[in-house]
Amino acid sequence: MAFELIRISNLRNLQECEISPDKGINLFLGNNGSGKTSVLEAIYILGRGRSFRDNQLINVVSKGQSSFTVYGKKRNKAERTEIGINCSHLGCQVRLNGQKVYKLSQIARETPIQIITPRSHEIVDTGSSIRRRFIEWGVFHVEHQYQYYSSRYQRALTQRNRALKENPVLAKVWDREIVESGDRVDQLRKAYFLALNQEFKIQLDNLASVLRPDIGFYQGWPKEKTFEESLEESFEGDKIRQHTRFGPHRADVTFRIGKTPLGKWGSRGELKIVIYALFLAQANIIKNHIESFPILLVDDFSVELDGINAEKILSNLSDHAGQVFLTTSNSHRLLTRQSVKLFHVEQGEIKDLSV
Ligand SMILES: Nc1ncnc2c1ncn2[C@@H]1O[C@H](COP(=O)(O)OP(=O)(O)OP(=O)(O)O)[C@@H](O)[C@H]1O
Ligand SMILES: [Mg+2]
């Protein structure tokens, strides 16, 4: 499903904007500070109900205004969907096809959306939580039961950790629930990871990546033990540390070239190609499940890419067959491509260059 109309008001420096994007690649071109990333932020909010660059949506409201609104209309063959989000200091109101939505997961399921930014290399060279979130987002979209087990696990884990701090005797009460939900979370993640690993190799080939990293999955406890055994054996240590040290909440994905972590090996440009392969792999898996490609946002597209790699990625994004929104402040080469719909962003105004 692709957005055919997007309206943005009072979001950062974008006052009143309306765009009719193409269902393929859309490129937003403009100088620094013109509002390009803000356009992607608006689209991201439509899909996720939150921003990718600020934990507080109130900061996204244009200075001097009291609220921002983003509206999107999507179409897939005969099916139409409308999403509207209005946020002020009183909170956010979300509407899906005119109906109030109370759970963000509802709009998240409606519009799978991913973003690649110049900071996306962090997925391979910083802490594990970003990688876990990446995997969780994919499993959430392909396995509908995942959210149920994951919430159960999180609840039980919170209670167990509280008990470990306040009254350790009660901590074990939660073990059964933790093991039952945690094992399901783990199984669903592993199945997803297998598919991701396969598709990742295909995408590395498609992008002719120089680097061929191996990716591995760490379940969150030693692999020779069951989760139940691990929980049991680590109980005394958990009591001392006052938290649960092993479990799916500690899962991670490793990226390695031989024995070296990928982040310590690859150049910035090489890493970027690997990141694209990873995101495109995820997009393809989701497409196979929901028969629609996720929407892909790419901020500062050409940063760290030479001309050849930029072309290669662009042609793979075209093949990806989903809706893509790119931003760049220097795109002389890309301007010549017929398959890209161009928008110019200047001081918060968006001009469609195709009309
Ligand atoms: N809450 C806000 N209200 C009004 N303007 C804001 C707000 N937050 C940020 N801005 C301004 O909005 C403008 C657009 O920012 P944005 O990050 O979208 O620019 P950009 O085109 O992506 O620039 P760059 O090429 O440097 O990445 C900037 O001038 C920024 O200072
Ligand atoms: Mg920007």
Side-chain angles (χ1 to χ4, degrees), residues 31-38 40 53 118 299-300 327:
N31 291 338
N32 294 140
S34 56
K36 305 178 298 296
T37 303
S38 305
L40 299 192
R53 56 175 177 175
D299 199 19
D300 291 322
T327 74

Side-chain angles (χ1 to χ4, degrees), residues 44 48 113-117 119-124 130 134 137 192 196 199-200 203 207 255 271-286 293-298 317 320:
Y44 189 88
R48 299 263 186 126
I113 205 159
Q114 271 291 35
I115 182 154
I116 299 177
T117 74
R119 290 180 58 188
S120 291
H121 59 83
E122 288 178 355
I123 201 166
V124 297
I130 185 169
F134 179 82
W137 184 81
Y192 179 78
L196 183 71
E199 190 61 39
F200 178 55
Q203 295 302 325
L207 291 168
F255 295 82
L271 285 182
K272 194 126 192 202
I273 305 278
V274 172
I275 299 293
Y276 274 97
L278 193 64
F279 277 73
L280 285 171
Q282 193 175 56
N284 273 307
I285 295 169
I286 291 171
F293 271 102
I295 290 171
L296 198 58
L297 312 177
V298 184
L317 289 175
H320 155 83

